[in-house]
Each structure stands twice: as C-alpha cells, then as structure tokens.
Amino acid sequence: MPKIFTLFFALISIVTIAQNEKKANDSKYKILSDEIPVWLDEYDVPAVSVAIVDNGKIVYHQAFGLQSPEKPATNETLFLSASIAKPMTAEVFLRLASLGKVNLDEHMANHWLDPDIADDPRAKLLTPRHVLTHQTGFKNWRRMTDGKLRFERDPGTEMGYSGEGFLYLVRFLEGKLGKPFNQLAEEVLFEPEQIQNASYVYQKRFENKMAWAYFPDGNWRESRKVESAFGAGGLRITAEDYAKFILSILNEDRVTSKLRTEQFSISLNQFSHCQKKATTPDACPENAGFGLGWYVYGFEDETIIGHTGANMGERTLAVFSPKNKTGLVVMTIGANGNEVIYRIAENKGVHQGFIELEKPKKK
C-alpha cells in the first residue's frame, strides 16, 4: 500500500478513536450534566463549574447556572477560588525554588518584615516552609487578634491554618524578586501551562466574565476589583484552568523531584486533630496533614491530595489522586455550595474516605 494511503488510514483511525472517546465521555457524564441543574435548584446554589481529570487528561468541563443575577455562567466564567488559591501560590513558590531563586528555609525577614511583628524576635525565624506547612504561629487572619498580626506560638512548633502566612509569603517574594506576585505567577505557572483565564488581581480583560458572590440572605455582591495579590485567596480562575494546574503536578512539570516529594510528605501528623474536627471521625486516616500547600490524606489504599475553599458567598474544592491520575475541581457561588460539591464528588467516584471527612454535616 502506498505511504500516502497508509498515512490517510492512520489519520482516519486517530479521528475515529477520538470521536469514540468523546461519545463515551459524553455518555459517562450525561447523568452528571442532567443532575447538576437539579442540585443547584434544590440547594439554592446559583452556579457551579466542574472540571474532571481522568487518566491524566481533562475529560469534562462544564459550567451551569448564573454567574450574576441575569447572566448565564459559561466555561469562561471566572470563579473566586477562595482557599484553593493556596496550593497554586505554593506551586509558584516551588517553581521559583526549582529555578534557584528562593529557598524553603531562608529567613523571610531579610526581604519582608511586617510592621506589626517587627519588634518580635520570632519574626526573624519565619521561613517559607513555615508558611506552606501552616506552622507560622499566626492566627488565620489578624482580625482575630485585634487587627494586629502577632504570634500565638513559636514558628515551626504546631500546625495552625493561616491565610496571613500566605500573605506574608507573597510580600516576601515581591520584596526579594522585585516583581508583583501576579507577574511571577504568570511567568512560572500561567504561561507555561497555558492557563489563560486566571489572575490574583483585577484584569480588565476579564470584565463581565467574573462570577458574583451569593450570600445566605439571597443577596448578590458584584466582584471586587482586587489590585494587590494576597495569595491565600483572591484568585479568579475557571475550573478548567485549575485542572490544568493539577495536570502539571501529575505530569511532574517544572518542580524538582526532591521538592515534589517534600510537597506531598506530611509535615506534622494531624490524626488527633482530624478526629476532633472531621464530619466523620472514624474516616480519619492515621497519616494526615499538610505537606507544602496541599493537605495530604494517607488512606490505607491510596494517598489523596486536596484542598477546600470557603468564603461567605463561595465554596470550592480541588482534589486528585497521584496514583490514578484522576482529579476533580468544583467551584460554586452560594453558601450552600458544598452540598452540590459533594454530590458531584460522590457521582465522580472521589475516594469515599475523603468525602466522609469533608462533606457537610447533616443538619
């Protein structure tokens, strides 16, 4: 057979396989697509965007509902990430560290010192590792300590979830590298991974594409124009672009193997803490806790990596399995967003132990 015909039939075969895969996926997720609008209505959740990773590929991405009072959500609608911004901020740092520009254990005080703690000698001990493992010694936000940043404990001695820590890391990176954090994110993460719809700060090009917040009293709030990145949240992104970020991790992209191993190694075991706080304490794995930016769930059969997010008007989830190269990103607006998120997670087949730990408690 002439080579040109061989090539022709090979191309036909590739196209046919791709079409068959698409039909299989369309059928596989039809139930999900049919059910989601029902769940939105049932739980008074205006909008959700979903991205599913399977076998190392994004196989499903769809938005449902309204992004604002009269505007339908689309696959290009940017949702407010809430705290699932933190793993992405951690990734920016790890990529910079892999380039030799920063170090996990350097003292941040050399490039940033918050005025509130300038006279506290413990400020000189703070490192990026303390931030990424939530061991800064800060409360979550300074409003919890009379509006002033202060240490509740010595850095590196105990896990204490802190958004202030991530803000501290962002200011350190900006001070040391002399660039706004969003620019650093664009250079080392967004552009290399073709993440086109994401930003930690307001972008005019995203006007009319941003989901509004939806509060428990039924009121909407228009998107704020954030001018300065704070790393712990504030990230605007689509579910698909967040899934691209997860894929880059699954593909072990642009971070050294040493740092990636550290990222998914538990810093301080939180088993006892899990049993006190979890929705279903019996589901707590014996090994659980923060690595670098992500929470690591060391179940007996599988290690699951994940992070949740919650603002008053948004709820989000990002979770994946390095072993199976599967993942799920769900971003919602509305205080009841978790009700929809975990219905989707159950439908998708996310590890049941993870769902038992994170799903909302029954009222």
Side-chain angles (χ1 to χ4, degrees), residues 310-332:
N311 293 327
M312 188 174 290
E314 295 94 6
R315 299 290 189 274
T316 58
L317 168 70
V319 60
F320 64 96
S321 165
K323 175 184 175 182
N324 295 324
K325 291 189 178 297
T326 58
L328 174 67
V329 180
V330 190
M331 310 183 78
T332 70

Side-chain angles (χ1 to χ4, degrees), residues 79-83 85 199-202 226 230-236 311:
F79 285 71
L80 190 61
S81 67
S83 285
S199 181
Y200 285 89
V201 295
Y202 171 74
V226 178
F230 66 99
L235 172 72
R236 289 277 177 183
N311 293 327

Side-chain angles (χ1 to χ4, degrees), residues 115-168:
D116 286 356
I117 56 172
D119 295 330
D120 192 320
R122 290 175 290 185
K124 295 181 180 180
L125 303 176
L126 281 172
T127 68
R129 187 185 298 275
H130 293 142
V131 172
L132 299 181
T133 58
H134 291 278
Q135 296 181 61
T136 57
F138 300 145
K139 286 281 193 180
N140 193 8
W141 298 112
R142 66 185 71 198
R143 64 174 178 266
M144 299 173 175
T145 49
D146 302 320
K148 295 283 187 179
L149 186 67
R150 68 167 184 250
F151 290 99
E152 295 294 294
R153 63 190 72 86
D154 293 344
T157 58
E158 187 179 335
M159 200 284 276
Y161 189 82
S162 178
E164 287 287 351
F166 275 75
L167 174 59
Y168 212 100

Side-chain angles (χ1 to χ4, degrees), residues 89 92-93 96 102 106-115 117 126 128 131 138 141-142 149 163-184 200-201 226-234:
T89 299
V92 172
F93 176 86
L96 291 168
V102 290
E106 65 180 297
H107 297 295
M108 293 190 290
N110 293 332
H111 300 281
W112 170 247
L113 188 59
D114 190 290
I117 56 172
L126 281 172
V131 172
F138 300 145
W141 298 112
R142 66 185 71 198
L149 186 67
E164 287 287 351
F166 275 75
L167 174 59
Y168 212 100
L169 180 69
V170 165
R171 297 294 172 260
F172 156 72
L173 289 172
E174 291 177 334
K176 181 170 184 177
L177 301 178
K179 295 180 180 179
F181 181 76
N182 198 69
Q183 183 179 341
L184 293 171
Y200 285 89
V201 295
V226 178
E227 302 294 340
S228 180
F230 66 99

Side-chain angles (χ1 to χ4, degrees), residues 62-77:
Q62 189 64 48
F64 301 83
L66 298 175
Q67 72 173 43
S68 57
E70 297 180 356
K71 190 174 180 63
T74 73
N75 286 351
E76 293 187 348
T77 297

